Amino acid sequence: MKNKDILIIEDDKAITRILELEFMHEGYTYDIAFDGKEGLEKFQTGQYGIILLDLMLPEISGMEVCRKVRKGSDIPIIMMTARRDITDKVIGLDLGADDYVTKPFEMEELLARIRVGLRRSKAKTGEQKILELADLSINLLTREVIKQGDCIELTKTEYDLLEYLLRNKGLVLTRDQILEHVWGYDFVGDSNVLDVYIRYLRNKIDYPYETKFIHTVRGVGYSLKE
């Protein structure tokens, strides 16, 4: 099957028609699935650059589709929902979604987020597959994190934070740099969320082991190094 840019999994036909018209105008190739089961089948048999995923779907929910996709792929996923409950957003992101838009959304904003996701997807096709620091490694294809032979389970946000630190190992990253990269350019909230997730990571990859990698640079940010 020919590679396509976007897989749309959305049961609202009015919304899919609007997306179709916009994507045709932008020159994107796409497939559409109107329920979660069909969406998973198309994902498993096709090749796509990004998934637009509705949260409330018949047959299989958007949350479950996201969880199943993330078991074997790091394809960018943008969740779409009419619900504004912050709990749904947190669950979606922890299950592996990369981004989240609330309906009704501004088309220009959605297109900008799609462009970011497609750039990331294309960049990953030619990049290295393993990131390492001493006895710590990340497999970028399977999202598997290993330290001293142990497989370490991380949430989506914990993984994104560790990957960013590991890609920049040895460098001092400012708090703003990390917040912008991991939580997004439009992040609005308490910057202490970074300290919370650093603590989560330390509890999993530092404190149980003799070798410690995450270092605090007071007044600046954090660095990952031996």
Side-chain angles (χ1 to χ4, degrees), residues 60-76:
I60 301 175
S61 73
M63 292 291 191
E64 183 65 10
V65 170
C66 183
R67 188 183 69 80
K68 288 179 179 295
V69 168
R70 272 294 169 262
K71 279 188 172 182
S73 172
D74 63 352
I75 182 175

Side-chain angles (χ1 to χ4, degrees), residues 13-209:
K13 294 188 177 180
I15 291 178
T16 58
R17 183 54 183 159
I18 292 171
L19 293 173
E20 275 192 282
L21 293 172
E22 289 290 339
F23 294 162
M24 283 190 290
H25 178 72
E26 295 291 327
Y28 290 133
T29 56
Y30 57 87
D31 278 333
I32 298 173
F34 292 103
D35 62 62
K37 182 180 178 182
E38 182 187 10
L40 277 175
E41 289 171 351
K42 288 194 172 182
F43 168 73
Q44 290 164 354
T45 57
Q47 294 289 328
Y48 302 95
I50 194 168
I51 295 176
L52 294 186
L53 178 62
D54 185 31
L55 184 63
M56 305 297 290
L57 290 169
E59 299 291 338
I60 301 175
S61 73
M63 292 291 191
E64 183 65 10
V65 170
C66 183
R67 188 183 69 80
K68 288 179 179 295
V69 168
R70 272 294 169 262
K71 279 188 172 182
S73 172
D74 63 352
I75 182 175
I77 299 174
I78 299 178
M79 277 195 163
M80 306 182 295
T81 181
R83 299 173 64 174
R84 297 177 177 272
D85 190 341
I86 189 65
T87 302
D88 287 335
K89 181 175 181 179
V90 170
I91 292 173
L93 294 174
D94 275 344
L95 282 174
D98 298 270
D99 211 340
Y100 192 104
V101 292
T102 304
K103 304 172 188 174
F105 45 77
E106 294 292 334
M107 187 56 66
E108 287 303 316
E109 179 185 1
L110 178 60
L111 290 172
R113 292 172 185 266
I114 288 171
R115 286 192 293 270
V116 170
L118 286 174
R119 283 198 300 269
R120 184 169 74 83
S121 184
K122 290 175 182 177
K124 281 185 175 292
T125 60
E127 71 178 3
Q128 66 188 107
K129 302 301 184 288
I130 303 290
L131 297 178
E132 293 179 308
L133 174 61
D135 56 6
L136 173 69
S137 68
I138 288 179
N139 185 314
L140 297 173
L141 294 180
T142 64
R143 301 173 71 87
E144 187 177 52
V145 178
I146 302 292
K147 184 168 185 182
Q148 292 185 11
D150 298 333
C151 185
I152 300 172
E153 294 291 331
L154 300 180
T155 66
K156 164 69 167 53
T157 303
E158 290 167 354
Y159 176 90
D160 288 346
L161 176 57
L162 179 60
E163 180 183 330
Y164 183 55
L165 292 171
L166 196 48
R167 286 183 183 276
N168 295 276
K169 61 186 178 184
L171 301 178
V172 176
L173 299 171
T174 68
R175 298 177 65 85
D176 286 344
Q177 283 177 313
I178 300 172
L179 286 169
E180 180 176 342
H181 183 89
V182 178
W183 278 268
Y185 66 90
D186 57 351
F187 173 77
V188 177
D190 189 347
S191 65
N192 286 336
V193 70
L194 173 56
D195 303 310
V196 172
Y197 273 88
I198 287 289
R199 185 170 71 251
Y200 291 163
L201 268 187
R202 280 176 166 153
N203 285 338
K204 293 182 177 182
I205 71 166
D206 270 359
Y207 296 150
Y209 303 93

